[in-house]
DNA sequence: CGTCCGATTATTGATATTGATATCGATAAC
DNA sequence: GTTATCGATATCAATATCAATAATCGGACG
């Protein structure tokens, strides 16, 4: 007999019901099950997810914060578009923000940085081996945000997160066939190596190259990177 | 006798009650009345603004989306910090995003762009003359976002808005004395001139210089701009 | 046949109430 | 004296209900 809750996973301190709605919608939008432009009404979602309108609204507000939906008062909520032009600009923002971040992070990295990155790297390899592209993207966000966390620029984190979500959505929308997810995960190794070595220049270069080569956007987007 | 509502101000098409709470809190945070780190509890705010907890929550979620507060489940809501390092990085993001934006905008500007910018410019001069630094900042956001609107990159707009809000908050926090607001407003004239002339290169340069010289952050932040 | 006005409906906005969770201090056991 | 447990309080989360608003459709009128 068990007198204690089996679900006391220390991870995921957010067992909220709105989170379940949020995650389900996010998944469907990221995978294209809900196409851009699709209308979402609060009461329909509430009925579908067996929760109240307020809970749905909270989930929709979070989705809006990640740029996945667009809410207009009294005119409904629509799934946002995901264009290449926007993806390009977000990749550029990422390059700028993440490279500035790694410069700051390496000046005083937290003691667990390397270990945390390696743990996430292992999980990414696992997700890639399992063919779970969505989980791989989520772990990739965790990886880049963990690295940026040591930059001590918390106000920039939501911006970075937004770019990461849009980039992943764009990448998944472009993946016609089962890509080589393992190679995608493996691409983080050089970043970890450079950070572990404490080499600021090499870390910045590795990160810059990593971001520039996530998807092939043509030679004009990142002129300084030869792919 | 009045047969029509006197409050039918065409402006502010969002007469929502949560907006009033949002605006009041935003004002107090921007002006430093609510200092960084201050705790905000939903029920206290609901009592103060004579509305319900849900309404307050909606306002707080909007504030979080603008980066003015930080919400932690069951641990309250705190006013966020506003550091110089973050402001610097956000200025850099702005330079990147707005300059890319103006390049796209000038390829197919909407017919009302120039007129809209000039209208906002006049309003900025008015707010500056009235000494209303907060209104001037709000109009400055409208100006830059109107310009960016023609870039057709809607997913980037929330990022730009967030940077603008943080930059304005930082600038106001730094303004010890009544600054020369008129000069600040006047600084937008050269951008309008270049855009009206349709000169892409000059527009981009004007915008880049404008952003780099909003506040004096030292020579290392924007090395390519001689102030 | 087209246009304007009004009722209908769909949708979000607001409120009050109840429930869940975390934090902190007091108390008792060791 | 230290630690562990329990309970009180503060706070957020969720639900149900009602109100306000905007889009839509159809008929009357010109």
């Amino acid at each position: 007999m068990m007198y204690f809750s089996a679900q006391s996973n220390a991870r995921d301190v957010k067992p909220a019901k709105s989170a379940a709605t949020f995650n389900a919608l996010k998944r469907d939008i990221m995978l294209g099950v809900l196409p851009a432009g699709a209308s979402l009404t609060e009461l329909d979602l509430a009925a579908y997810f067996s929760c109240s309108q307020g809970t749905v609204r909270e989930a929709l507000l979070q989705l809006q914060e990640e740029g996945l939906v667009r809410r207009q008062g009294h005119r409904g909520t629509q799934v946002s578009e995901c264009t290449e032009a926007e993806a390009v600009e977000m990749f550029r923002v990422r390059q700028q923000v993440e490279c500035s971040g790694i410069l700051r992070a390496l000046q005083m990295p937290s003691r667990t940085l390397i270990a945390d990155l390696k743990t996430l790297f292992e999980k990414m390899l696992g997700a890639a081996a399992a063919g779970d592209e969505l989980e791989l993207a989520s772990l990739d966000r965790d990886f880049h945000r963990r690295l940026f966390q040591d930059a001590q620029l918390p106000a920039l984190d939501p911006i970075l997160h937004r770019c990461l979500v849009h980039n992943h959505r764009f990448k998944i929308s472009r993946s016609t066939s089962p890509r080589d997810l393992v190679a995608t995960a493996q691409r983080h190794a050089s970043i970890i190596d450079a950070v572990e070595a404490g080499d600021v220049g090499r870390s910045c270069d590795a990160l810059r190259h990593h971001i520039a080569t996530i998807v092939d956007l043509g030679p004009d987007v990142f002129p300084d990177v030869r792919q």
Side-chain angles (χ1 to χ4, degrees), chain A:
Chain A
M1 183 66 96
M2 292 178 58
Y3 291 97
F4 51 88
S5 167
Q7 65 174 359
S8 66
N9 316 350
R11 284 304 297 156
D12 230 89
V13 295
K14 200 180 182 184
K17 198 162 190 177
S18 67
T21 304
F22 169 79
N23 286 324
L25 288 173
K26 179 173 179 175
R27 175 185 163 283
D28 286 349
I29 294 174
M30 294 287 281
L31 292 179
V33 177
L34 286 171
S39 278
L40 306 173
T41 74
E42 298 182 356
L43 288 178
D44 286 354
L45 293 174
Y48 182 79
F49 289 106
S50 301
C51 65
S52 83
Q53 183 185 3
T55 304
V56 169
R57 182 178 300 169
E58 196 131 14
L60 290 178
L61 284 168
Q62 284 184 258
L63 288 171
Q64 178 178 241
E65 196 163 332
E66 297 205 348
L68 294 174
V69 303
R70 177 189 178 203
R71 279 168 60 82
Q72 309 181 70
H74 294 290
R75 263 172 292 184
T77 301
Q78 285 89 35
V79 177
S80 66
E81 304 289 330
C82 184
T83 68
E84 173 165 335
E86 290 164 332
V88 165
E89 199 54 38
M90 292 209 182
F91 274 118
R92 289 211 185 100
V93 170
R94 275 186 64 183
Q95 232 188 30
Q96 162 120 13
V97 170
E98 294 200 62
C99 288
S100 292
I102 206 168
L103 291 182
R104 290 175 55 93
L106 287 185
Q107 290 176 3
M108 187 168 290
S110 59
R111 285 166 308 202
T112 64
L113 175 62
I114 300 294
D116 291 347
L117 292 181
K118 287 186 175 176
T119 299
L120 287 169
F121 181 62
E122 292 301 323
K123 288 185 181 175
M124 290 172 73
L125 289 177
D132 190 342
E133 188 168 13
L134 205 62
E135 176 68 8
L136 178 60
S138 177
L139 290 167
D140 181 72
R141 287 196 288 277
D142 291 342
F143 182 93
H144 286 271
R145 291 177 74 189
R146 175 62 188 91
L147 189 51
F148 190 72
Q149 183 182 312
D150 280 17
Q152 306 276 27
L153 298 171
L156 272 297
D157 181 69
I159 291 176
L160 175 59
H161 186 227
R162 212 182 166 105
C163 290
L164 289 165
V165 168
H166 193 279
N167 284 166
H168 285 148
R169 187 180 169 203
F170 176 74
K171 184 178 180 182
I172 292 175
S173 76
R174 278 292 187 87
S175 78
T176 56
S177 61
R179 313 163 60 90
D180 191 350
L181 301 182
V182 177
T184 296
Q186 200 70 48
R187 282 163 34 75
H188 293 79
S190 61
I191 299 174
I192 296 180
D193 286 345
V195 171
E196 190 167 19
D199 187 330
V200 175
R202 190 153 63 91
S203 297
C204 190
D205 287 344
L207 188 53
R208 181 186 310 278
H209 182 269
H210 174 87
I211 295 170
T213 57
I214 290 175
V215 294
D216 185 3
L217 294 163
D220 296 336
V221 176
F222 299 106
D224 57 319
V225 174
R226 53 182 174 285
Q227 314 182 16

